[in-house]
Amino acid sequence: MRLELRGLTKRFGSLLANDRIDLAVAPGEIHCLLGENGAGKSTLMNMLYGLLQPDAGEILLDGRALRVLSPGDAIAAGIGMVHQHFMLVPVFTVAENLMLGREPTKGFVLDRAAARRRVRELSERYGLPVDPDALVSRLSVGEQQRVEILKALSHEVSVLILDEPTAVLTPQEIDELMGVLRTIASGGASIIFITHKLREVTAIADRITVIRRGAVVATVAPDTPESELAELMVGRSVELVVAKTPAAPRGPALRVRELTVVDAAGAVVVDDLTFDIDGGEIVGIAGVVGNGQSELVHALLGLRAPVRGSIAVRGRELTGLGPRQHLAAGIGYVPEDRSHDGYIGSFSVAENLVLDLVDRPEFSRRGILSPTAVRRNASRRVAEFDIRTQSVEEPVRSLSGGNQQKIVLAREMSRPLAVLIAGQPTRGLDVGSIEFVHGRIVRERDQGTAVLIVSSELDEIYALADRIIVMYRGRIVGIVGPQTPRDRLGLMMAGGSGGDDDA
Ligand SMILES: Nc1ncnc2c1ncn2[C@@H]1O[C@H](COP(=O)(O)OP(=O)(O)O)[C@@H](O)[C@H]1O
Ligand SMILES: [Mg+2]
């Protein structure tokens, strides 16, 4: 069926999230919707799926206007959606999740045999293997996504929407997904594939529509150069490659030996890790989220005591000491979840810029904070890090994600560091802010700091890392150089041995 959106408009208060959007998708077409975070992609799809009601505009299927007041209406019209955040019930099995809301019943009992059969049949038809009896909570994220897709396909779909489906997948899983989408499209269904990753659109799309600030800026062919797509997305030309000379290592700054950490249940989550990071180099930790990276970072910060092994910064033994001593030893930290650990939303920009520096002599005397010194520091950092804010008195909560992240970076980089640890430093940021944050991280390296980057985005690892450590199930699978091909890294991220190379 031919889908057409005409003039779709959605406001949230004073924010115009979608501004008269036109979009046409042909049967069998894979149409990519490309745009930065906050551009309005999910809003548009939520209107198509009946989760939001448009303020103006219409949705047409084969030329007939369609009213979509709920996801039920969308499903009945043949529109399926795989959400950005999975919506499965973890304590249910795959078959139970697929049948939720419309169980095939035998009398009053759920017909489990029929449900299982249906899962097998769909799995086979689309080449998406899953065990119908597996508990969803036991599945990897890649497998959970397969279930989400099967669930959408368990209804007759003529339009399938996937909202940022690759965020949590390994490169191999992404390739598999692309194959599955091709199969579905070749059966005549239209696919709307939402992403902010340029590599993906050029690989999969038949056509690409770029959305910026709620409006369509262009619909282009997939052979459009990535630089051009980036410019359409951002509205100005962007540096896609981080300018960076080879690392000039200055001797070990961080030394980790046989580090072992267990979780609350006593399971080993960081398993016997040994590595060094030199001052002046960036080491990237690659791995699918949930393979011990967060626990490693927490141990390095003294937030979690290891059960075995040691951590030393510039020769100073830190094992068993708390976060204060770790920070005092020269560790800077840009947390993965910045809204939780990085800043205090109700505090002003100026206050957040001195959060863990308040006992330093330049800001306070005999325990009394100097408002002038705090404000002067803030003005300097705001200018230096190009933080967009009305004033330094504004609460950080009301700034955009990119500017909040710059505040965390500005604060952490405003004292001399031996080691900088950054978790997912650019997650959720727009391309312009990513460019800036990457530039500052490289500059920190060039000043002699040892940098540890944890990222599930291979593009980010490749952009920054001088060496790459791959983690899987709490262990180091390999330590490799930055030239290591993507498919080899992908295999290692899935636990396959990649072995160590010359790095
Ligand atoms: N329910 C909502 N209420 C208020 N603002 C919203 C809501 N949903 C989205 N927004 C805002 O609308 C804009 C577009 O968001 P979204 O469609 O999620 O973007 P994208 O999916 O492209 O990242 C953003 O500025 C976002 O903060
Ligand atoms: Mg979105």
Side-chain angles (χ1 to χ4, degrees), residues 240-481:
L240 291 174
V241 199
V242 184
K244 163 167 164 288
T245 54
R250 312 177 185 191
L254 175 70
R255 187 171 154 280
V256 174
R257 291 290 174 273
E258 297 170 11
L259 191 71
T260 306
V261 178
V262 298
D263 67 10
V268 175
V269 281
V270 172
D271 195 356
D272 196 28
L273 298 197
T274 292
F275 62 91
D276 289 321
I277 304 182
D278 284 344
E281 74 163 341
I282 300 176
V283 168
I285 301 229
V288 175
V289 172
N291 278 284
Q293 302 95 316
S294 308
E295 291 85 355
L296 166 64
V297 167
H298 288 161
L300 294 177
L301 291 166
L303 293 167
R304 203 184 265 250
V307 290
R308 202 162 68 80
S310 67
I311 299 165
V313 168
R314 289 201 179 145
R316 192 163 148 214
E317 199 51 57
L318 294 174
T319 321
L321 299 179
R324 263 190 176 274
Q325 288 97 326
H326 281 245
L327 295 183
I331 298 182
Y333 177 43
V334 178
E336 189 175 337
D337 182 358
R338 53 186 170 266
S339 63
H340 194 259
D341 308 319
Y343 57 81
I344 301 176
S346 58
F347 281 24
S348 70
V349 170
E351 287 164 335
N352 271 284
L353 282 166
V354 294
L355 266 192
D356 50 6
L357 308 173
V358 285
D359 46 8
R360 289 171 75 98
E362 61 262 46
F363 297 119
S364 62
R365 218 165 261 168
R366 284 182 238 104
I368 301 177
L369 207 60
S370 154
T372 326
V374 169
R375 215 173 307 119
R376 205 179 320 119
N377 171 69
S379 311
R380 224 176 61 228
R381 299 294 169 206
V382 163
E384 188 191 349
F385 281 80
D386 188 26
I387 297 165
R388 309 280 169 86
T389 173
Q390 308 271 356
S391 88
V392 299
E393 307 302 338
E394 195 172 333
V396 164
R397 185 200 295 125
S398 61
L399 270 56
S400 75
N403 286 297
Q404 291 168 342
Q405 182 73 331
K406 286 181 188 172
I407 287 177
V408 178
L409 273 179
R411 184 186 63 227
E412 295 302 304
M413 289 179 176
S414 63
R415 58 195 169 99
L417 295 178
V419 179
L420 174 68
I421 299 174
Q424 316 284 357
T426 57
R427 180 160 63 193
L429 300 197
D430 56 276
V431 176
S433 297
I434 292 174
E435 188 185 21
F436 181 85
V437 169
H438 282 172
R440 291 305 299 222
I441 288 173
V442 170
R443 201 159 123 188
E444 191 67 35
R445 174 198 81 165
D446 293 340
Q447 288 166 2
T449 304
V451 181
L452 180 72
I453 301 287
V454 178
S455 181
S456 52
E457 298 274 353
L458 272 189
D459 285 331
E460 178 151 59
I461 297 281
Y462 277 119
L464 291 174
D466 301 306
R467 285 190 302 147
I468 303 169
I469 294 179
V470 186
M471 278 184 78
Y472 178 71
R473 298 205 172 148
R475 293 183 144 264
I476 292 181
V477 192
I479 302 182
V480 297

Side-chain angles (χ1 to χ4, degrees), residues 32 166 174 178 193-195 197-205:
C32 278
T166 60
I174 294 176
M178 301 298 194
F193 183 96
I194 303 181
T195 184
K197 297 186 197 168
L198 299 172
R199 175 190 309 279
E200 290 173 1
V201 294
T202 47
I204 188 90

